Amino acid sequence: MNSMDFKSQIATSRSQAQRLLALGLKPETADMVYHHSNSIVKQLEWELETKPPTLRGKFWTPERIAKLKSPFHKHPDGTLMTGEEIFDSIWGQDVPAWSLSRLIEMLPVEVPDPKPGFEPHHPELIKHELGYKLSIRRSTADCLVGTHIEDDPIECCVSMIHWLVKHKHFNNKFLK
């Protein structure tokens, strides 16, 4: 047997991440980050790091950022960059990334049925020959959502989160 051909991704792609951010997901809900490495080698330009994105906020306060100093971060004219400019040059292009387990964790456990008196629905991820299917179902019966069938489970989750946000069933604590 030759080397295995892995197609699976371990986190959202940069374009999937942009879609989630456009839906209003908070970057700090991501458990990984695509770090811009400044490498001249195209394949090494973006590095997936298994840690949350470095963001302005609790730790990186304006005061702490202002104190960033580095003899290696200079403008073309040789003058030193400010703390803000150093922060942006190191982390400014980073793109949050969500692992499959994080995406599933953020899905609601229940989605109410639009008709009063009916049992709530639950997200259900199924693997089959054509790929993966994520739907919101009530037991094994009726499906509340147009089922999302995709090649990979991460795209299923991204599509489902889009539907949930659009229909106001996504937890607001994950949104801006």
Side-chain angles (χ1 to χ4, degrees):
M1 189 172 162
N2 298 356
S3 69
M4 295 177 108
D5 251 351
F6 291 111
K7 291 189 311 187
S8 58
Q9 56 184 88
I10 62 166
T12 51
S13 64
R14 292 195 336 267
S15 65
Q16 288 169 326
Q18 295 299 354
R19 284 165 46 207
L20 291 173
L21 292 170
L23 287 170
L25 264 73
K26 293 177 185 169
E28 57 269 28
T29 63
D31 56 348
M32 297 177 149
V33 65
Y34 284 100
H35 180 65
H36 193 260
S37 69
N38 296 325
S39 174
I40 50 172
V41 180
K42 199 80 185 130
Q43 294 89 326
L44 302 177
E45 187 183 3
W46 292 95
E47 181 180 52
L48 182 62
E49 296 182 350
T50 53
K51 64 182 181 74
T54 299
L55 303 166
R56 289 169 168 80
K58 282 194 286 248
F59 181 80
W60 285 107
T61 60
E63 298 75 31
R64 203 170 249 153
I65 291 171
K67 289 181 189 155
L68 280 174
K69 284 185 175 54
S70 166
F72 306 108
H73 288 83
K74 294 179 181 167
H75 294 285
D77 68 4
T79 58
L80 290 177
M81 289 183 172
T82 66
E84 274 293 326
E85 292 167 325
I86 292 172
F87 187 92
D88 277 345
S89 73
I90 298 174
W91 297 294
Q93 295 182 63
D94 287 2
V95 177
W98 289 263
S99 67
L100 177 60
S101 55
R102 181 64 180 135
L103 291 169
I104 290 171
E105 200 176 273
M106 291 191 304
L107 292 176
V109 174
E110 289 185 348
V111 174
D113 192 282
K115 296 178 267 347
F118 282 88
E119 290 286 306
H121 298 255
H122 308 278
E124 184 177 82
L125 181 62
I126 301 168
K127 181 181 176 184
H128 55 88
E129 270 179 52
L130 298 173
Y132 295 83
K133 181 168 89 177
L134 179 58
S135 46
I136 295 184
R137 311 174 71 82
R138 190 171 46 225
S139 64
T140 54
D142 7 314
C143 199
L144 179 63
V145 180
T147 301
H148 298 274
I149 299 176
E150 305 290 350
D151 291 338
D152 74 274
I154 289 178
E155 183 55 38
C156 276
C157 289
V158 171
S159 299
M160 182 59 76
I161 288 171
H162 183 267
W163 185 90
L164 289 162
V165 169
K166 206 171 101 192
H167 291 88
K168 300 190 176 4
H169 293 303
F170 197 66
N171 191 329
N172 282 339
K173 77 177 183 187
F174 302 128
L175 299 170
K176 287 180 184 161

